Amino acid sequence: LKVLSHIDSTLRSPRAPPLIYRRSKGPVQNYIKENGQECGFEHLPLTIEMWADQLMALKDLHRSLRKLSLELAPWHTEDPQDNRESIRVEDLQFIVDAILEEIENKEKNSQTPSVPTLLAIVSHFQKLFDVNSLSGVYPRMNEVYTKLGEMTNAMRNLHELLELDSSAPPTVVVDTVGKLCDIINENVTKQVQQLLGTQDIHSIINKLEEHECFFPPFQALIQDLLCLLEICNLDDILPTVRKLK
C-alpha cells in the first residue's frame, strides 16, 4: 500500500506528464485504496509498455541520426556514446543540433553549384578546348595549365628584359618588341650601307650587280691558274709565277 501511495503521489505530481494519469470511469474497474478513494493509474501498465517500446526505438533513432550526421559531416569522429546501453533524448537533440548547424553553415558559406550548372561548365570547357569525351577533360586541363604557366613565365621575362611594369598588358609588350625590331633592322641597314661605302640603295644594287658580273669569271680564272700551276692555295700563285719568270 505504501508503494501504491507513493506511485499515486508521483502520478499526481505537477511534474508528471498528463499522459500517465487518468481518472477511472466506472466503479467496477476502479482500484480502491484503504481510504476508499479511487486509484487513477489502472491504465499505467499499457503506458509503461508504450514507453518501453519508445525507449527501444530511441536506439534505432540514435543510430539513424549518427548515419545522417556522418553523411553530412564525414570529418566528424564517431560518437563514443554509440555503444552505450541507454540513450537519452539529450543525445539525440545534440546530434540534431549539430546537423542543423552544419546545414546552416553550408547554406551561408558554400557556393557549390548545382549538377546542371556543373554539366554546363564541363560542356563549355569541351567546346572551348575541343575535347570530345569526358575522359579527355582532365588531360586537357593539365595541358592548358602547363601552357598557361609557360606563357606567364615568358611574359614575366619579357617584362623584365624590356623594363616594363609588371601590369603592362600583352599588347604593350608586343608593341615594344615591334619597335625594338624596327630599331635593329634600321641599324643593320646602316651597317650594310657603311660596309658598301654608300648611302644610296640604288648604288648598293649596282655594286651587287657588278659583283655578280665580275666574280664568276674571276673565280673561273683563279681555278684555271691553280690547275695550271698545280697548286692548291691562292697565296702560292704569285710565288709560282715569279719562279716561272
Side-chain angles (χ1 to χ4, degrees), residues 145-156:
Y145 178 79
T146 301
K147 294 295 183 182
L148 178 62
E150 294 175 355
M151 293 299 298
T152 302
N153 291 333
M155 291 299 296
R156 186 186 300 112

Side-chain angles (χ1 to χ4, degrees), residues 113-123:
S114 61
V115 174
T117 302
L118 293 175
L119 292 176
I121 293 173
V122 173
S123 178

Side-chain angles (χ1 to χ4, degrees), residues 121-141:
I121 293 173
V122 173
S123 178
H124 186 62
F125 180 88
Q126 289 181 268
K127 291 180 181 179
L128 288 178
F129 298 99
D130 193 23
V131 182
N132 297 325
S133 62
L134 290 176
S135 59
V137 170
Y138 280 112
R140 185 57 57 86
M141 282 184 175

Side-chain angles (χ1 to χ4, degrees), residues 72-73 75 93 95-111:
L72 294 176
W75 52 86
Q93 188 63 48
I95 297 176
V96 172
D97 292 341
I99 293 174
L100 292 176
E101 182 179 359
E102 189 68 31
I103 294 175
E104 290 177 357
N105 291 335
K106 285 186 176 181
E107 290 177 351
K108 292 179 181 178
N109 303 325
S110 177
Q111 298 296 328

Side-chain angles (χ1 to χ4, degrees), residues 12-233:
R12 297 175 184 272
S13 171
R15 297 179 57 189
L19 177 64
I20 65 173
Y21 177 72
R22 299 174 189 167
R23 294 187 64 83
S24 301
K25 296 181 180 180
V28 179
Q29 290 82 5
N30 291 342
Y31 292 92
I32 306 301
K33 294 183 181 180
E34 289 183 345
N35 57 6
Q37 295 181 352
E38 60 177 324
C39 174
F41 51 87
E42 66 274 6
H43 67 288
L44 195 57
L46 295 177
T47 302
I48 293 176
E49 290 179 1
M50 180 189 69
W51 283 358
D53 294 337
Q54 294 297 314
L55 289 174
M56 293 298 296
L58 282 180
K59 292 185 178 181
D60 296 333
L61 179 58
H62 182 266
R63 191 179 303 108
S64 300
L65 288 177
R66 285 297 303 158
K67 290 182 179 179
L68 179 59
S69 176
L70 292 176
E71 286 290 334
L72 294 176
W75 52 86
H76 287 177
T77 57
E78 288 289 339
D79 189 352
Q81 297 179 348
D82 281 349
N83 297 325
R84 200 174 60 181
E85 288 296 330
S86 61
I87 302 298
R88 300 176 303 175
V89 176
E90 290 83 351
D91 301 330
L92 304 182
Q93 188 63 48
F94 176 79
I95 297 176
V96 172
D97 292 341
I99 293 174
L100 292 176
E101 182 179 359
E102 189 68 31
I103 294 175
E104 290 177 357
N105 291 335
K106 285 186 176 181
E107 290 177 351
K108 292 179 181 178
N109 303 325
S110 177
Q111 298 296 328
T112 303
S114 61
V115 174
T117 302
L118 293 175
L119 292 176
I121 293 173
V122 173
S123 178
H124 186 62
F125 180 88
Q126 289 181 268
K127 291 180 181 179
L128 288 178
F129 298 99
D130 193 23
V131 182
N132 297 325
S133 62
L134 290 176
S135 59
V137 170
Y138 280 112
R140 185 57 57 86
M141 282 184 175
N142 294 333
E143 181 182 352
V144 171
Y145 178 79
T146 301
K147 294 295 183 182
L148 178 62
E150 294 175 355
M151 293 299 298
T152 302
N153 291 333
M155 291 299 296
R156 186 186 300 112
N157 293 333
L158 285 174
H159 280 90
E160 294 178 357
L161 291 174
L162 300 175
E163 297 182 354
L164 296 174
D165 188 81
S166 59
S167 61
T171 53
V172 175
V173 176
V174 173
D175 292 340
T176 306
V177 173
K179 292 178 181 178
L180 184 60
C181 291
D182 293 339
I183 294 174
I184 293 175
N185 292 333
E186 184 178 355
N187 291 335
V188 170
T189 301
K190 289 181 179 180
Q191 291 175 2
V192 172
Q193 291 175 349
Q194 293 175 358
L195 178 64
L196 297 177
T198 179
Q199 302 297 322
D200 187 3
I201 189 63
H202 295 290
S203 299
I204 296 175
I205 295 174
N206 292 333
K207 287 183 178 292
L208 290 175
E209 290 177 350
E210 291 175 0
H211 179 271
E212 187 176 357
C213 293
F214 170 77
F215 185 76
F218 177 76
Q219 184 181 16
L221 176 62
I222 295 299
Q223 290 294 334
D224 292 339
L225 284 175
L226 292 175
C227 292
L228 182 62
L229 299 175
E230 296 181 352
I231 56 178
C232 298
N233 298 321

